[in-house]
Amino acid sequence: MEKKELLTRMEKSIVEGDKDETVQLAKEAVRENVDLNEVINKGYVPGIQKVGELWEKGEYFLPELITSGECMKAVMKVLQPELEKAKIKISSLGKVIIGTVEGDIHDIGKNLVASMLSANGFEVIDLGADVKLEKFIESAESEKADLICLSALLTTTMVGQKKVIQLIKERNLSGQFKVLVGGAPVTQQWADDVGADGYAENAMIAVKAANKLLGE
Ligand code: B12
């Protein structure tokens, strides 16, 4: 199958919530050695974004969102090991704690960021979604992490990012690890306002931001 057609079908399979097709296409991409960054960012992600638009327009409802979300997860199950294999086996560029903040169960974007960081040589500890704010700090301390990545998809949970940064300051831990924030409602302005060390609008840029923060 031509790459363009493959990417279009990937997008469509997510929009239609066709899990068998999404997984089968991911396997085909791996077999055919298609660039997995492209597969994710030009195939599957546009699909889930379209689902979001359809939801906003009132054309899709919660069951469709859940089904498409599950398709994304199934795809990442296929792609993640391949991304891992591709990563250059040199010493880790840094240890990263990542999770979606308390009260927020969205994890598709967070998983993508985790996958990309991992594929690009970072050691990633994924705490999952709906993570207690304290846990980010406890894990970062016990794991001696270099970076905490906080994802938030709801305007109501974004404030959790701010609270984690406050807790870090209160405990005089600011010098020990950097904080990177992201998620659909998060902006550079918000990151600056809450005192985050960095912000990235997508998983690719998150890798660049992490490199910049830990390379300095
Ligand atoms: C799929 C989805 C769901 C799925 C989630 C499945 C899952 N396992 O994640 C389900 C159906 C469960 C769901 C539930 C809900 N959802 Co929802 N959901 C979405 C949807 C359609 C897509 C989100 C997504 O996965 N996008 C694709 C990924 C790839 O993009 P992303 O998450 O933005 O991540 C990228 C970047 O933001 C960035 N990034 C993400 N995290 C991080 C972290 C760091 C550190 C960095 C640097 C970068 C970074 O990189 C990622 C990859 O490029 C969005 C619509 C939208 N436009 O975002 C609504 C949306 C986020 N949901 C919304 C709502 C309201 C809800 C519910 C409250 C609905 C309800 N009434 O129950 C619940 C939330 C329950 C809870 N407590 O969390 C609203 C939020 C409104 C708001 N502003 O607060 C949105 C915006 C829809 C809307 N327009 O109203 N949802």
Side-chain angles (χ1 to χ4, degrees):
M1 199 188 309
E2 244 188 75
K3 189 161 80 184
K4 198 164 169 250
E5 191 197 337
L6 186 70
L7 297 176
T8 310
R9 279 181 59 184
M10 284 167 170
E11 180 178 337
K12 193 162 166 259
S13 70
I14 294 288
V15 175
E16 289 175 355
D18 185 343
K19 200 162 167 183
D20 290 343
E21 169 91 345
T22 31
V23 168
Q24 194 255 316
L25 291 169
K27 286 182 178 162
E28 180 163 342
V30 170
R31 253 195 334 265
E32 302 288 322
N33 268 325
V34 183
D35 179 349
L36 297 187
N37 284 337
E38 250 186 280
V39 162
I40 293 169
N41 294 305
K42 294 190 183 160
Y44 293 115
V45 167
I48 193 79
Q49 282 169 344
K50 186 111 173 259
V51 169
E53 285 161 25
L54 289 167
W55 198 56
E56 277 162 34
K57 281 193 215 153
E59 287 177 37
Y60 267 19
F61 299 95
L62 218 48
E64 282 95 349
L65 287 195
I66 293 170
T67 310
S68 297
E70 277 169 2
C71 288
M72 284 297 282
K73 280 195 166 173
V75 160
M76 289 316 292
K77 250 196 190 152
V78 176
L79 300 184
Q80 177 65 38
E82 301 303 321
L83 290 167
E84 292 279 332
K85 268 190 230 161
K87 95 174 163 205
I88 315 146
K89 296 268 182 263
I90 44 165
S91 58
S92 160
L93 294 173
K95 212 176 204 183
V96 181
I97 299 285
I98 189 167
T100 309
V101 297
E102 200 170 343
D104 198 329
I105 60 166
H106 294 89
D107 66 357
I108 297 169
K110 182 267 298 169
N111 292 344
L112 275 176
V113 174
S115 298
M116 288 296 166
L117 286 171
S118 172
N120 283 277
F122 291 89
E123 189 180 343
V124 179
I125 297 165
D126 188 346
L127 302 180
D130 189 15
V131 178
K132 289 241 172 307
L133 304 181
E134 294 271 346
K135 192 164 177 207
F136 284 103
I137 299 168
E138 283 162 16
S139 303
E141 275 199 285
S142 63
E143 294 287 346
K144 298 195 170 32
D146 305 291
L147 180 67
I148 301 180
C149 285
L150 303 169
S151 181
L153 264 284
L154 300 170
T155 41
T156 47
T157 55
M158 275 166 75
V159 70
Q161 298 178 327
K162 184 176 175 177
K163 285 189 188 148
V164 171
I165 294 166
Q166 276 169 350
L167 283 173
I168 291 172
K169 282 188 188 141
E170 277 166 24
R171 294 177 193 182
N172 293 321
L173 295 168
S174 301
Q176 287 193 29
F177 22 75
K178 308 268 186 191
V179 179
L180 192 58
V181 292
V186 179
T187 59
Q188 181 66 56
Q189 183 65 52
W190 168 258
D192 293 342
D193 290 349
V194 300
D197 297 294
Y199 157 77
E201 65 186 76
N202 64 42
M204 299 302 290
I205 301 176
V207 173
K208 284 189 192 156
N211 269 319
K212 195 173 156 219
L213 285 176
L214 301 190
E216 280 165 5

